[in-house]
Amino acid sequence: MEKIASIKEEVKKHIVEAALIDADKLDDNTLIFDAGLLDSMGLLFLIEFLKETYNVEVSDDELNPKNFESINNIVSFVSAKLEN
C-alpha cells in the first residue's frame, strides 16, 4: 500500500509539473487528457518518466487511453507492471 501511495505521489508531481498547474487542481480521478492537462507529447514524456522512474516498458498494445486517463489508472497500470 505504501508503494502505491509513493507511485501516486510521484505521478501526480510529474503531471503537475508538466501541466504547470497547482497540485490542488488535480484530483486522482481527473481525466488528464479530457481536462487538457496533457496532450500526445505529454503522454510520451509521461511514458518516458515511467520508464526512467519505475523501469516500466509500455508496449504499443498497452497505449490504451484507459491506462493513462487518470492518476488512479496510471498507478493501477504501473502497479500491475511491477507485479509481473
Side-chain angles (χ1 to χ4, degrees):
M1 197 63 152
E2 188 175 314
K3 180 88 170 164
I4 290 174
S6 173
I7 294 169
K8 187 175 286 192
E9 184 179 317
E10 289 294 320
V11 168
K12 184 172 184 173
K13 180 180 174 195
H14 173 81
I15 293 170
V16 164
E17 290 173 0
L20 302 172
I21 61 168
D22 292 327
D24 59 346
K25 296 188 185 211
L26 180 60
D27 170 290
D28 292 347
N29 292 309
T30 298
L31 299 178
I32 296 165
F33 299 98
D34 289 353
L37 301 178
L38 294 181
D39 57 11
S40 57
M41 196 61 144
L43 176 60
L44 292 176
F45 286 125
L46 174 61
I47 290 169
E48 185 62 27
F49 165 78
L50 297 175
K51 181 178 179 181
E52 290 176 5
T53 307
Y54 303 106
N55 200 30
V56 168
E57 295 283 342
V58 180
S59 65
D60 289 344
D61 61 319
E62 292 172 327
L63 285 174
N64 180 332
K66 287 282 184 200
N67 288 334
F68 300 98
E69 70 182 356
S70 71
I71 290 176
N72 282 334
N73 289 41
I74 295 166
V75 171
S76 294
F77 173 74
V78 170
S79 296
K81 294 286 280 185
L82 293 175
E83 288 176 8
N84 291 335

